[in-house]
Amino acid sequence: MQNHSDISTRVEQLLNKMTLEEKLGQLMQLAANDPKSLELLETYHVGSYLHVSPKVAEHLQLRAAKTRLGIPLIFGSDAIHGHCFENNTVVFPTQLAMACTWNKNLVRKMGEITAYEMRQCLLHWAFSPVLCVARDPRWGRCGETFGEDAWLCGELAAELMLGLQGDGSQEYVEPNHVLACAKHFVAYGEAIGARDAYEAGVTKRRLLETFLPPFEKLIKTHKLASLMVAYQAIDGVACSASSWLLNDICRDEWGFEGIVLTDWNNIGALHTIQNRASSYKEASKIGFESGNDVFMATPEAFEKTLELVTEGALDEGIIHRSAYRVLYRKFALGLFDQEAKLTEGWQDKLGAPDSWHYSLQASRQSLVLLKNTADLLPLDKCATNNILLVGPNADDVFAQLGDWSFGSKQALHTKDTLHKADTVNLKTALSLHCEAQALGFRYIKGADCIDSNFDEIALAREAAKSSDLIIACVGDTLDQHGEFHDRSDLTLSGKQQALLEAMKASGKTLIVVLLCSKPHAIPWVKDNADAVICAFNPGPKGGQAIKELVFGEISPEGRLPISFPYSTGQLPVYYNKYKGWHAFHSPQTEGQERYIDAPEAPLFAFGEGLSYTTIEYSELKLKNAALPHGQDLEFTVDIKNTGLRAGVEVVQVYLHDVYSSVTTPEKNLKAFERVELDASESKTILFTLPFDCLSLVNEALERVVEPGEFELMVGASSKDEDLLKVSFEVS
Ligand code: BGC
């Protein structure tokens, strides 16, 4: 195994032999699905490609081996929820669905399986995890995130990173692991109006308080290998032109040693979109001087940067340093020490049954039960004879798998047949079940997510007459989310709402399954459905998991990592909001901080999710009611399963700094634990939180813990009524 100084020596020896052109080539990452970029390999000494198929990877490595120094290429891919851009690999639920599991082990496992399958395909660099915080679901990319809470995003992203990178050791990447790339740096989800990649109006204090800490955590505690710079500008400064973010914060303050990669043509966009630079040449200078190491998909920068260095307008030392970082990772990955060939039977190593088992587990645990009137679910087998299934998403692979997978086609070598055979949709799962149980079953699509003219409502209404129970699977589909697919209206699209209303009018029991990429504004569903299940792009086995939940073969374990709005205009409704005060004077709002025409609370809150049993919380006890400065916060809480079935509880811990020099959110998640409880079982859960979880960023932009009163809240969700509360003083 190589250590840091071995690698460093090898990198320096190689760099000593390299021309400026060869070093610069290491800083170019080009798109393999563009034939022109492939031609540039030798002329531009290209160091990296993205979106490469296994065969092309093998071929390109052979070409690279024949160049003067034979430096291997490094290949990047958007392996976001599994290595989805390859056939027969294991696809997982999307990040947002994974966040619903609140299960760190499963998230780590997803990373491990993804890395293993990437390496079989000769790829080394996963553009994952996504650390964006989704605080406005109009944004198209919510499904790629771990939800609305920055702290939770950091916790889960750290697991995903460890799964991808292995133990996080900087010196050596095990053969079955890859480099992780935390993205998008930073506050990308905060773009104004939730419009993808628009300017974000975030202050430095909010960055330091909320959006930077997840990245800091990955860098400081786990030696992150790389990060990707966001597209947008923050308070007027494009992220890729922000020396403050990249040089001062990342490098100087956090000591980041990894690679800073731009997003797609970020550097070109400094000239062509953001008008920060009057030419590609100026953009390239800004790009390198601001701290970017590798430019993704801006081939124009190669020649312009050569000119800059030759003219003395750009310090060659910057190029040398960035090339060092890239070569370091190539050595750490062992690329110089192994032959880059697909191994015998490499395809058979993909999609192992064990790995699929984890994907199914994730699908199951990602389902969130949001309503269950009179314990309708699980269905009583004896009382159910004829089931009518309606809705477009009971039979839509695109909706089930989500973005960056089947059919999303960002990597052009993928086909839209990918993963189709692996996918069990709700229609198939239910019909097989009903056949085996001799139950009546019928499926009618009824409505379409996109096509408003698609209307089979009359047919569904007719079929409802001879059914005992209706399951409606509605939501959104691939064309309604993802990059530059933001929405101004989060109600159900097409004739889905009309279909639901017709089903309700039939008088039959109605279960609504929301199979979607993100929260929707669906107050009607909450009020009118007898049961509601949320299934954020639940993965290939999602249909099977939903069927199992409905029939009680599994119990619901998921909790929402993001709030559902009551209406689109109520956004944002994330739970860690600040307190307003004017509303206290308004008789129209009954003293609540709300719009005069909408309730204050979200439709479904962060952390919310039912199970098939009931859990009681009691005895929230602090070790010290007065916490000396610097000491860990220790406390216990008792939980008891008061129902007749085993269940999983996600115990959530929130804190509030009651009096502080700056305004602070009413509560912030600081810890959680997933606990399994048998029927009637009780457990005492002990928490030990580090003292700095009480910190805030003050006016002088320093992270400090201010003495005074704090409130600790522990319970089943972020809703006040679900939380036990106790106060304490920090001296
Ligand atoms: C996205 C990134 C992605 C990159 C490469 C960009 O448009 O913002 O998340 O990694 O493309 O596919």
Side-chain angles (χ1 to χ4, degrees):
M1 198 185 289
Q2 331 173 69
N3 63 28
H4 171 67
S5 99
D6 297 339
I7 298 184
S8 201
T9 310
R10 290 177 81 185
V11 176
E12 288 298 358
Q13 283 169 351
L14 178 60
L15 277 167
N16 283 340
K17 295 186 214 154
M18 290 170 76
T19 61
L20 170 64
E21 286 83 348
E22 284 165 336
K23 289 181 202 171
L24 191 53
Q26 291 301 312
L27 311 183
M28 298 292 123
Q29 179 176 76
L30 303 187
N33 46 31
D34 172 7
K36 278 197 226 120
S37 298
L38 292 183
E39 281 167 26
L40 291 173
L41 194 160
E42 288 83 3
T43 8
Y44 281 8
H45 314 276
V46 176
S48 175
Y49 282 95
L50 77 155
H51 296 165
V52 189
S53 71
K55 292 274 183 227
V56 172
E58 191 174 45
H59 165 76
L60 290 175
Q61 290 291 23
L62 276 176
R63 273 173 63 187
K66 289 185 193 142
T67 57
R68 189 177 80 91
L69 294 168
I71 301 174
L73 290 153
I74 185 168
F75 296 126
S77 186
D78 288 283
I80 312 285
H81 49 114
H83 176 32
C84 306
F85 286 157
E86 195 48 52
N87 228 340
N88 301 325
T89 50
V90 179
V91 174
F92 279 80
T94 52
Q95 253 193 226
L96 189 62
M98 291 302 290
C100 294
T101 71
W102 297 62
N103 186 334
K104 291 182 176 185
N105 296 337
L106 263 182
V107 173
R108 189 185 289 219
K109 208 70 208 170
M110 170 166 91
E112 284 170 7
I113 293 167
T114 305
Y116 173 82
E117 297 202 329
M118 284 180 76
R119 287 307 285 264
Q120 305 315 310
C121 300
L122 300 183
L123 311 184
H124 333 96
W125 196 357
F127 299 151
S128 167
V130 175
L131 277 140
C132 300
V133 183
R135 306 212 292 186
D136 188 333
R138 289 176 297 172
W139 186 38
R141 304 191 75 171
C142 287
E144 290 179 54
T145 74
F146 283 124
E148 74 182 28
D149 181 76
W151 180 84
L152 183 64
C153 289
E155 288 296 293
L156 298 177
E159 295 299 327
L160 184 47
M161 183 199 69
L162 286 174
L164 291 165
Q165 291 195 173
D167 69 356
S169 136
Q170 209 182 344
E171 283 77 40
Y172 184 68
V173 184
E174 301 277 345
N176 288 334
H177 289 281
V178 295
L179 307 184
C181 183
K183 68 188 190 183
H184 307 82
F185 193 64
V186 60
Y188 179 34
E190 289 299 290
I192 293 168
R195 292 179 163 124
D196 193 32
Y198 274 52
E199 185 93 9
V202 187
T203 62
K204 272 193 178 171
R205 218 187 61 75
R206 291 276 188 255
L207 285 175
L208 291 164
E209 175 196 73
T210 307
F211 301 102
L212 289 168
F215 286 93
E216 181 180 9
K217 177 185 170 83
L218 266 62
I219 288 171
K220 282 196 174 157
T221 56
H222 300 299
K223 297 183 177 164
L224 176 73
S226 70
L227 60 80
M228 188 186 292
V229 183
Y231 281 132
Q232 94 290 358
I234 300 177
D235 194 19
V237 182
C239 291
S240 50
S242 173
S243 184
W244 177 72
L245 278 175
L246 305 181
N247 290 324
D248 301 355
I249 296 284
C250 247
R251 300 288 185 204
D252 298 346
E253 208 174 311
W254 298 343
F256 182 53
E257 294 290 340
I259 301 168
V260 174
L261 169 70
T262 73
D263 201 340
W264 187 277
N265 193 23
N266 258 7
I267 300 304
L270 287 174
H271 167 50
T272 57
I273 297 174
Q274 289 167 315
N275 297 353
R276 169 70 176 81
S278 59
S279 63
Y280 275 101
K281 190 165 168 180
E282 193 189 354
S284 306
K285 180 173 158 68
I286 295 171
F288 281 121
E289 288 182 342
S290 304
N292 302 278
D293 294 313
V294 177
F295 293 2
M296 183 197 290
T298 311
E300 295 85 352
F302 181 80
E303 280 169 0
K304 300 300 170 200
T305 308
L306 272 186
E307 284 172 30
L308 286 165
V309 179
T310 319
E311 288 162 9
L314 178 69
D315 177 5
E316 189 173 347
I318 294 181
I319 304 301
H320 185 94
R321 207 171 50 205
S322 293
Y324 174 96
R325 293 185 183 125
V326 174
L327 291 169
Y328 189 100
R329 299 292 154 175
K330 290 188 175 183
F331 277 106
L333 280 158
L335 302 189
F336 287 87
D337 309 316
Q338 304 147 9
E339 206 186 355
K341 272 187 82 68
L342 292 164
T343 54
E344 191 67 30
W346 65 275
Q347 277 153 316
D348 302 337
K349 296 184 188 151
L350 306 175
D354 258 16
S355 307
W356 272 116
H357 160 81
Y358 287 107
S359 167
L360 172 60
Q361 282 297 93
S363 301
R364 288 170 171 152
Q365 294 183 18
S366 73
L367 302 176
V368 188
L369 181 63
L370 292 173
K371 184 177 180 190
N372 195 15
T373 310
D375 290 337
L376 167 68
L377 295 177
L379 287 183
D380 178 351
K381 280 183 191 148
C382 311
T384 316
N385 291 319
N386 285 304
I387 296 179
L388 171 64
L389 176 66
V390 297
N393 286 356
D395 185 18
D396 181 350
V397 193
F398 295 108
Q400 207 166 307
L401 301 195
D403 204 2
W404 301 102
S405 63
F406 169 85
S408 61
K409 301 215 186 91
Q410 288 94 342
L412 291 182
H413 68 271
T414 60
K415 303 185 209 75
D416 63 5
T417 53
L418 283 189
H419 307 293
K420 201 168 191 170
D422 300 323
T423 300
V424 183
N425 62 31
L426 186 56
K427 179 183 149 199
T428 310
L430 270 184
S431 73
L432 288 175
H433 177 90
C434 291
E435 198 183 312
Q437 302 289 323
L439 301 175
F441 174 77
R442 183 146 181 221
Y443 172 63
I444 292 169
K445 182 173 170 185
D448 188 79
C449 290
I450 306 278
D451 181 0
S452 309
N453 294 321
F454 186 92
D455 185 344
E456 290 180 342
I457 295 175
L459 202 61
R461 199 180 280 126
E462 198 47 41
K465 289 183 186 156
S466 53
S467 311
D468 307 312
L469 174 104
I470 301 166
I471 301 178
C473 188
V474 293
D476 62 8
T477 190
L478 188 57
D479 286 344
Q480 293 170 293
H481 63 98
E483 285 186 82
F484 39 82
H485 283 74
D486 316 310
R487 288 178 65 183
S488 66
D489 177 5
L490 293 176
T491 55
L492 291 168
S493 55
K495 289 216 160 53
Q496 295 185 95
Q497 181 61 34
L499 172 68
L500 292 182
E501 288 177 22
M503 295 301 92
K504 174 76 183 173
S506 74
K508 303 292 163 70
T509 303
L510 177 64
I511 299 171
V512 173
V513 178
L514 285 165
L515 199 149
C516 51
S517 69
K518 54 157 103 167
H520 280 61
I522 42 157
W524 186 94
V525 173
K526 183 175 181 180
D527 288 346
N528 291 282
D530 297 291
V532 181
I533 299 166
C534 167
F536 289 132
N537 306 124
K541 307 303 177 201
Q544 176 182 338
I546 297 165
K547 184 274 293 181
E548 291 173 350
L549 188 87
V550 167
F551 288 100
E553 295 158 34
I554 57 167
S555 290
E557 299 182 8
R559 303 291 185 271
L560 290 180
I562 190 165
S563 313
F564 273 62
Y566 172 85
S567 63
T568 314
Q570 193 201 22
L571 290 168
V573 286
Y574 51 84
Y575 82 93
N576 38 6
K577 66 184 181 65
Y578 296 83
K579 207 166 185 169
W581 57 272
H582 230 149
F584 288 121
H585 302 302
S586 167
Q588 251 175 308
T589 63
E590 295 129 359
Q592 287 181 36
E593 299 155 24
R594 63 170 175 86
Y595 293 108
I596 56 172
D597 52 3
E600 181 190 4
L603 193 67
F604 298 112
F606 178 84
E608 194 171 336
L610 302 167
S611 78
Y612 287 157
T613 185
T614 42
I615 308 287
E616 239 174 53
Y617 283 72
S618 62
E619 304 294 320
L620 174 59
K621 286 186 192 148
L622 282 160
K623 188 171 169 201
N624 295 314
L627 189 70
H629 197 93
Q631 216 167 79
D632 288 348
L633 177 67
E634 283 185 52
F635 56 92
T636 53
V637 67
D638 290 353
I639 53 172
K640 181 174 169 55
N641 182 346
T642 49
L644 300 173
R645 285 179 70 123
V648 166
E649 179 64 1
V650 179
V651 182
Q652 299 162 40
V653 176
Y654 299 87
L655 278 168
H656 177 215
D657 189 341
V658 181
Y659 298 104
S660 46
S661 62
V662 290
T663 52
T664 54
E666 288 173 349
K667 53 175 89 79
N668 264 324
L669 183 73
K670 294 292 176 180
F672 67 89
E673 191 149 333
R674 240 180 139 262
V675 187
E676 291 178 17
L677 287 168
D678 282 333
S680 307
E681 189 180 358
S682 302
K683 281 185 181 164
T684 298
I685 314 295
L686 166 71
F687 285 94
T688 306
L689 271 54
F691 184 70
D692 73 0
C693 74
L694 302 171
S695 66
L696 52 72
V697 176
N698 67 15
E699 246 186 303
L701 305 185
E702 298 151 344
R703 190 162 271 285
V704 291
V705 177
E706 295 181 341
E709 189 182 341
F710 286 80
E711 192 170 32
L712 170 69
M713 293 158 265
V714 181
S717 86
S718 65
K719 290 191 288 192
D720 280 333
E721 60 268 34
D722 283 345
L723 293 166
L724 298 178
K725 299 183 181 179
V726 58
S727 295
F728 62 96
E729 290 278 331
V730 170
S731 53

